[in-house]
């Protein structure tokens, strides 16, 4: 099998808001991202395609650069340089339809199977969210946590990682930054709510700036109780 980099000839696009990947026009290949339900439809524009995918779909799927990265990271899906040097289980690949425990004779199969069946997975890539203690943990993370602890059937969520739509991802970010606008027509005490929102916005902005300054890729995560390293930032 020959593998080569064709990114200079083939463009890759991601579309959210539909699960119908059938009927791609001539010159395109489309399919649901098999790794995670939140990652949408992946479309490849083949070489010499005469159409611009973004222009073709702008009425149905507006071009929003950066959306994929936000959803991917909130869902805890690592890729690219983030997983370099890590085993497949450390990178959660068994949750992303990337590992078979029935098929044998592939590179790393013995180590992967032994690690899985002995349960000795000492480190994993995890999505981490910093919030005010006044803000409830978003539901996708609550459900993923319950599935991992065996308190919720995995079939209800289909993955042990957080599962969320683009709208849920946007709502989560807005909630954490205090930028979500309430329905003022339903608010009785507007003055109190305005003060609460202002406090949340201030906290969110300060926290965001603090995290961006300190949590750069490669930074070690230290337990302040015993000064031991318990993790490392791979992406923000």
């Amino acid at each position: 099998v020959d593998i080569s980099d064709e990114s200079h000839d083939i463009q890759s696009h991601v579309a959210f808001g539909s699960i119908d990947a059938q009927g791609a026009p001539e010159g395109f290949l489309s399919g649901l991202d098999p790794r995670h339900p939140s990652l949408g439809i992946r479309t490849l524009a083949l070489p010499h395609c005469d159409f611009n995918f973004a222009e073709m779909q702008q009425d149905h799927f507006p071009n929003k650069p950066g959306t994929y990265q936000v959803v991917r990271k909130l869902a805890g899906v690592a890729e690219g340089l983030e997983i370099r040097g890590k085993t497949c289980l450390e990178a959660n690949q068994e949750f992303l339809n990337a590992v078979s425990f029935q098929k044998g004779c592939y590179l790393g199969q013995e180590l992967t199977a032994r690690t899985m069946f002995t349960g000795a997975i000492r480190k994993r890539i995890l999505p981490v969210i910093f919030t005010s203690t006044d803000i409830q943990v978003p539901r996708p993370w609550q459900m993923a946590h319950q599935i991992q602890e065996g308190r919720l059937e995995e079939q209800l969520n289909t993955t042990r990682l957080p599962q969320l739509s683009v709208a849920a991802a946007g709502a989560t970010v807005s909630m954490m930054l205090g930028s979500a606008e309430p329905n003022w027509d339903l608010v009785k005490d507007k003055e109190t709510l305005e003060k609460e929102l202002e406090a949340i916005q201030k906290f969110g902005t300060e926290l965001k700036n603090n995290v961006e300054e300190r949590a750069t890729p490669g930074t070690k995560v230290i337990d302040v109780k015993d000064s031991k390293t318990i993790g490392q930032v791979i992406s923000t």
Side-chain angles (χ1 to χ4, degrees):
V1 176
D2 294 326
I3 300 177
S4 60
D5 183 359
E6 299 294 333
S7 57
H8 56 287
D9 290 328
I10 299 178
Q11 295 181 346
S12 177
H13 305 272
V14 178
F16 297 99
S18 174
I19 58 173
D20 184 7
Q22 304 299 317
E26 185 176 355
F28 296 93
L29 293 176
S30 294
L32 289 172
D33 195 313
R35 296 173 297 169
H36 191 287
S38 299
L39 297 182
I41 296 174
R42 183 61 60 93
T43 298
L44 300 180
L46 302 179
H48 312 300
C49 179
D50 296 328
F51 301 98
N52 184 294
F53 179 82
E55 293 180 356
M56 290 173 57
Q57 299 294 328
Q58 62 183 355
D59 291 338
H60 304 286
F61 303 102
N63 187 23
K64 300 294 182 181
T67 299
Y68 170 75
Q69 295 296 341
V70 172
V71 173
R72 176 181 72 82
K73 291 179 180 181
L74 287 176
V77 179
E79 65 181 22
L81 295 178
E82 297 167 353
I83 62 176
R84 185 173 64 179
K86 298 173 177 60
T87 68
C88 56
L89 300 187
E90 290 174 351
N92 300 320
Q93 296 298 298
E94 77 273 36
F95 301 153
L96 302 173
N97 295 318
V99 179
S100 172
F101 296 106
Q102 285 74 46
K103 179 181 178 181
C105 301
Y106 60 86
L107 185 63
Q109 182 265 339
E110 183 178 350
L111 173 62
T112 299
R114 183 170 66 249
T115 303
M116 178 64 182
F117 293 117
T118 60
I121 306 173
R122 295 183 174 84
K123 54 183 179 178
R124 279 190 182 275
I125 294 176
L126 299 173
V128 177
I129 294 180
F130 297 95
T131 70
S132 165
T133 54
D134 295 326
I135 296 178
Q136 185 180 23
V137 175
R139 182 169 176 77
W141 285 268
Q142 292 186 37
M143 294 185 66
H145 179 67
Q146 292 176 23
I147 289 173
Q148 293 166 16
E149 289 196 335
R151 293 186 286 121
L152 187 67
E153 290 293 331
E154 189 169 351
Q155 290 80 0
L156 295 177
N157 197 285
T158 74
T159 176
R160 293 190 172 208
L161 296 172
Q163 180 177 333
L164 68 168
S165 64
V166 172
T172 299
V173 174
S174 297
M175 177 186 66
M176 310 251 280
L177 295 177
S179 59
E181 280 291 324
N183 187 339
W184 292 105
D185 293 335
L186 301 179
V187 176
K188 296 181 179 180
D189 191 347
K190 295 184 179 181
E191 183 177 350
T192 299
L193 183 57
E194 286 177 346
K195 291 181 179 180
E196 291 177 351
L197 287 176
E198 184 178 349
I200 292 175
Q201 290 171 356
K202 181 180 179 181
F203 176 86
T205 300
E206 292 177 350
L207 179 59
K208 175 177 176 293
N209 293 338
N210 196 12
V211 170
E212 288 179 345
E213 180 182 348
R214 300 189 181 191
T216 56
T219 302
K220 293 182 179 180
V221 181
I222 308 295
D223 188 337
V224 296
K225 294 181 179 179
D226 53 19
S227 300
K228 290 184 178 180
T229 300
I230 58 174
Q232 186 178 44
V233 178
I234 64 169
S235 181
T236 56

